[in-house]
Amino acid sequence: MGVLMDENSRVVIQGFGAAGQREAKNSRDYGTQVVCGVTPGRGGQTIDGVPIRNTVREAVDEFQANVSLIFVPAPGAADAMLEAEAAGVPVIICITEGVPVLDMVRVKRVFSGSKSTLIGPNCPGVINPAARSRAGIMPVDVYLPGNVGVISRSGTLVYEAVDQLTRVGVGQSGSVGVGGDPIIGTSQRKALELFEADPDTAAIVLIGEIGGTAEQEAAEYIKTMSKPVVVFIAGATAPPGRRMGHAGAIIAGAAGTAAAKQQALREAGATIVENPSDIGSTMLKVLKDRGLA
Amino acid sequence: MKLHEYQAKALLAKYGVVVPKGIVARTPEEAEKATADLGGKAVIKAQAHTGARGKAGGVKVANTPAEAKQHAAAIIGMQLVTHQTGPQGLPVGSVLVEELIDIDKEVYLSVAIDNSAGMPVVIASPQGGMDIEAVAADSPDAIFKQHIDPAAGFRDYQARELAFACGFEGATLGPMVVLIMGLVKAFEASDGSIAEINPVVLTKDGRVLAADAKFSIDDSAAYRQKANMELQDRSQEAAKELEAHDAGIQNYVKLDGNIGCLVNGAGLAMATLDAIKMAGGDAANFLDIGTANSPEAVVAALRIIGTDPDVKAVLVNIFGGLARTDVIAQGVIDAKTQGLLPQPTVVRLAGTNVEEGLRILDASPVELIRADGFADAARRVVAAVK
């Protein structure tokens, strides 16, 4: 089991440039089946042992690709996501940063009526350490197979949280980087639903940040969950009105502050971590308290 | 990227939004002439990227061209300080000279991105001229919303519903619908991230006008909004932020503290500021270097931090994913060797190629404070400024 990726995941990489090639190699070295690359106009070539096709449709028909990983630059990223959806790829993960928001409005509308799941854009991807199945850009050394799911808007904070967990001996069932943009394919709430339903997951680390109301929506769902959730919200000291790197990380109104999000999550029953260096130790304590570690 | 009021009004006017007659003036003499051209009376409005300009002395009514010249002389060149600008304020390089309007009614209108719905939303309120956050908190029933569904587009009936909710009917309904549709068209065509008309004014002679306008353009759409991006007024940005932008560093924000930060990833960068605060310090900046792929890029970023006179110590906090810690380590050594980073510097490296990164630090005679983990790094850098 696991979330979104498992032993049967067959990854196609859309946008087989420098980043796509590097991560294809990293994923293959890890043990993931990277079956095909798609770069229109280069179909028929083989790059670094990976066959290239012109379309995602060919990747699905010929190589049974069931996960698409997108590195296509921002102006073409919406097109790449829609092409993968049209080809019926069940899991579509977009790493690309800087996709125009109004492009994502159209993409999101298409995915709202689709059987495909979109993760991102502007995200580090998805990994299942037990299955050694990876579609993303995360460093693999920090992961340890185990029973904690990690969800984050930020990429580097996924690595930080996973590293802290591994250092205290708490392994991970998987991590899902949902992305730092205002409009993303899969919300934190949706990602929580996936881990709640996963039999290999016992607890979840959720890493949110300032801006928007996604953490409050996650809190509504946490009220109904059976599994414990440990939360860190980045940006408690960020000034209002300034965009802190991520396009979505801007405090516009009271709901966007870290304090408002922490309060909603605390009231929902989540365990709040104030200091980012305490994520691992807090999860260990929560697991021990429940007899899960 | 924010537009000035006069730029936003010119943009909206292209899409059918009626705006008051107005002329931009960059000298008191131009303001005097503009006032004469408008019939001898006008309102003089400071052009700066902030609201609440009136309370700060940035908006004055002139009853004669000579008075307009006086007001413009006082406003042009001032540093406009409001609760949105910080204590240093924003420079005013021009004024908008506008016809005086007789106000019968003021309403609020904006378009913003509704992240949860995944589409833009048009927001209207009969309580115009007020801070919409305050209205939303005190009287949520006075806020009306209609989404812009990308499948159907924004429809006339939705504009009518908002217009009715704000009390427009009879002869004023049509002009209000035209104004709302114009705002939506401008937002969509210009990759808006927020567009606000506060207030929309119904004048005593029955006109419906955008009396103020704010418009921000999605920075991610800069590549296809070239004409609008050229309207950027660099005087409204902090000098350090312009320097960073010109060096190719997109994600830099100047802050009020004295600890410079170089971090990869926006989330880790925010968390680093939080950890510094918890350790009793204050960050001088937010800097997400992203995927630094050359020591030169790291040196360029460290130059921005090292030459900031506010910075008394520096924290480099890197968790390599796409970014390689060996490249970062080499960049830190190079910046130190070139004398660009004289402040005490704490370095914490983890992730991709960390063994090689630490080996580079070990092999160099450059003096650095090494840290293991987040809390340790924050503690050490705060100790370095005390």
Side-chain angles (χ1 to χ4, degrees):
Chain A
M1 284 300 287
V3 162
L4 298 168
M5 308 251 333
D6 60 23
E7 294 81 358
N8 302 316
S9 295
R10 297 172 65 81
V11 179
V12 51
I13 294 183
Q14 289 177 256
F16 211 70
Q21 289 173 39
R22 184 178 56 242
E23 296 311 326
K25 180 176 188 315
N26 287 339
S27 285
R28 293 178 117 190
D29 290 348
Y30 187 55
T32 307
Q33 302 178 68
V34 178
V35 296
C36 178
V38 169
T39 296
R42 300 182 74 175
Q45 297 181 10
T46 300
I47 299 175
D48 204 12
V50 178
I52 306 300
R53 293 295 176 267
N54 286 320
T55 67
V56 179
R57 178 81 63 195
E58 290 170 88
V60 170
D61 290 347
E62 199 176 333
F63 299 99
Q64 294 78 51
N66 54 19
V67 175
S68 175
L69 180 63
I70 297 172
F71 288 98
V72 174
D79 187 62
M81 290 180 253
L82 294 173
E83 183 185 347
E85 195 277 338
V89 180
V91 176
I92 300 163
I93 299 165
C94 185
I95 305 299
T96 311
E97 183 175 358
V99 180
V101 177
L102 292 186
D103 283 8
M104 279 312 300
V105 168
R106 295 193 186 90
V107 169
K108 178 92 178 169
R109 186 67 166 79
V110 169
F111 275 84
S112 72
S114 168
K115 287 182 183 140
S116 299
T117 297
L118 174 67
I119 303 288
N122 189 13
C123 81
V126 175
I127 190 169
N128 177 336
R132 299 192 79 77
S133 195
R134 169 189 188 263
I137 57 174
M138 62 289 278
V140 295
D141 316 352
V142 294
Y143 284 87
L144 175 73
N147 62 2
V148 171
V150 179
I151 300 167
S152 174
R153 273 163 80 174
S154 148
T156 40
L157 279 178
V158 172
Y159 320 153
E160 180 70 43
V162 167
D163 185 50
Q164 288 182 26
L165 291 168
T166 296
R167 279 167 187 263
V168 297
V170 173
Q172 305 88 39
S173 55
S175 72
V176 176
V178 295
D181 279 357
I183 297 179
I184 51 179
T186 297
S187 64
Q188 295 169 52
R189 183 199 162 112
K190 276 274 171 208
L192 283 168
E193 289 176 15
L194 295 174
F195 280 113
E196 172 78 355
D198 173 34
D200 291 344
T201 299
I204 297 137
V205 172
L206 175 66
I207 300 171
E209 59 193 40
I210 53 166
T213 56
E215 288 77 9
Q216 282 87 342
E217 287 145 28
E220 283 304 307
Y221 179 67
I222 288 172
K223 287 178 186 168
T224 70
M225 286 177 67
S226 66
K227 298 175 184 176
V229 181
V230 170
V231 181
F232 171 70
I233 304 290
T237 56
R242 303 303 309 273
R243 191 173 63 83
M244 303 303 275
H246 281 158
I250 177 166
I251 298 172
T257 63
K261 291 167 185 291
Q262 287 170 349
Q263 190 189 341
L265 288 155
R266 191 178 285 118
E267 285 171 9
T271 304
I272 308 297
V273 178
E274 303 271 356
N275 191 321
S277 45
D278 295 340
I279 297 169
S281 56
T282 304
M283 178 51 91
L284 179 62
K285 183 174 183 306
V286 165
L287 290 173
K288 279 186 173 160
D289 287 351
R290 297 192 173 220
L292 295 166
Chain B
M1 198 275 287
K2 289 179 183 170
L3 298 183
H4 281 304
E5 177 191 0
Y6 77 89
Q7 296 166 331
K9 283 179 167 171
L11 175 66
L12 293 176
K14 276 196 246 170
Y15 294 92
V17 173
V18 182
V19 300
K21 288 197 269 306
I23 300 161
V24 179
R26 291 187 170 76
T27 64
E29 291 71 27
E30 285 177 14
E32 181 181 28
K33 179 173 185 307
T35 304
D37 290 348
L38 291 171
K41 292 182 181 185
V43 57
I44 314 296
K45 304 171 86 176
Q47 297 299 290
H49 290 174
T50 174
R53 290 169 295 169
K55 281 182 205 144
V59 180
K60 304 267 187 204
V61 172
N63 289 306
T64 65
E67 208 183 326
K69 185 180 175 184
Q70 277 177 7
H71 288 326
I75 294 172
I76 295 170
M78 78 186 291
Q79 287 287 123
L80 195 66
V81 180
T82 75
H83 67 277
Q84 295 172 6
T85 62
Q88 72 286 357
L90 285 170
V92 180
S94 61
V95 290
L96 176 59
V97 181
E98 260 188 358
E99 65 168 316
L100 290 175
I101 44 182
D102 279 330
I103 297 171
D104 183 38
K105 184 160 97 145
E106 297 182 305
V107 305
Y108 173 92
L109 185 67
S110 70
V111 186
I113 301 294
D114 180 343
N115 297 359
S116 307
M119 53 184 82
V121 61
V122 184
I123 303 168
S125 171
Q127 299 189 19
M130 317 246 304
D131 173 14
I132 196 65
E133 278 276 328
V135 176
D138 299 339
S139 37
D141 293 349
I143 305 265
F144 300 90
K145 295 181 178 179
Q146 292 283 337
H147 282 99
I148 306 176
D149 188 315
F154 196 73
R155 313 305 306 190
D156 281 351
Y157 82 87
Q158 295 179 287
R160 285 197 299 273
E161 293 217 0
L162 294 173
F164 286 132
C166 291
F168 287 81
E169 49 191 20
T172 66
L173 176 67
M176 183 59 177
V177 168
V178 167
L179 185 141
I180 295 172
M181 296 307 285
L183 176 65
V184 169
K185 277 185 219 139
F187 186 89
E188 292 186 316
S190 312
D191 277 293
S193 55
I194 185 152
E196 185 181 72
I197 303 176
N198 188 21
V200 176
V201 164
L202 173 62
T203 63
K204 291 201 170 127
D205 55 2
R207 294 183 297 159
V208 179
L209 300 172
D212 195 2
K214 291 196 184 77
F215 203 105
S216 291
I217 293 167
D218 179 4
D219 292 314
S220 294
Y223 72 91
R224 63 187 184 198
Q225 292 293 341
K226 292 207 170 78
N228 282 327
M229 297 313 277
E230 278 172 17
L231 297 173
Q232 183 184 23
D233 177 357
R234 288 169 62 94
S235 78
Q236 301 293 302
E237 316 292 333
K240 270 283 162 194
E241 292 179 9
L242 286 175
E243 195 185 329
H245 188 267
D246 292 347
I249 299 156
Q250 303 301 321
N251 293 328
Y252 174 94
V253 179
K254 179 78 178 108
L255 301 169
D256 296 334
N258 59 7
I259 295 172
C261 300
L262 180 115
V263 189
N264 69 315
L268 189 65
M270 276 186 273
T272 301
L273 308 190
D274 298 346
I276 288 170
K277 187 81 174 180
M278 293 200 142
D282 283 297
N285 67 276
F286 167 99
L287 195 161
D288 165 16
I289 193 164
T291 308
N293 47 16
S294 73
E296 292 74 29
V298 179
V299 170
L302 287 171
R303 181 199 303 269
I304 307 290
I305 296 170
T307 55
D308 183 341
D310 296 339
V311 170
K312 304 300 178 215
V314 175
L315 172 55
V316 176
N317 185 17
I318 302 293
F319 209 122
L322 277 182
R324 286 167 42 194
T325 52
D326 53 328
V327 171
I328 303 280
Q330 191 57 53
V332 172
I333 300 290
D334 291 353
K336 280 280 184 191
T337 308
Q338 292 168 32
L340 297 169
L341 198 61
Q343 300 89 345
T345 302
V346 177
V347 180
R348 182 270 177 136
L349 301 178
T352 305
N353 290 10
V354 67
E355 292 81 12
E356 178 63 9
L358 295 176
R359 198 196 59 73
I360 289 169
L361 297 184
D362 286 339
S364 165
V366 165
E367 195 179 324
L368 295 166
I369 304 164
R370 301 269 287 273
D372 184 27
F374 224 113
D376 185 47
R379 247 189 329 266
R380 285 176 190 271
V381 77
V382 171
V385 293
K386 291 249 158 94

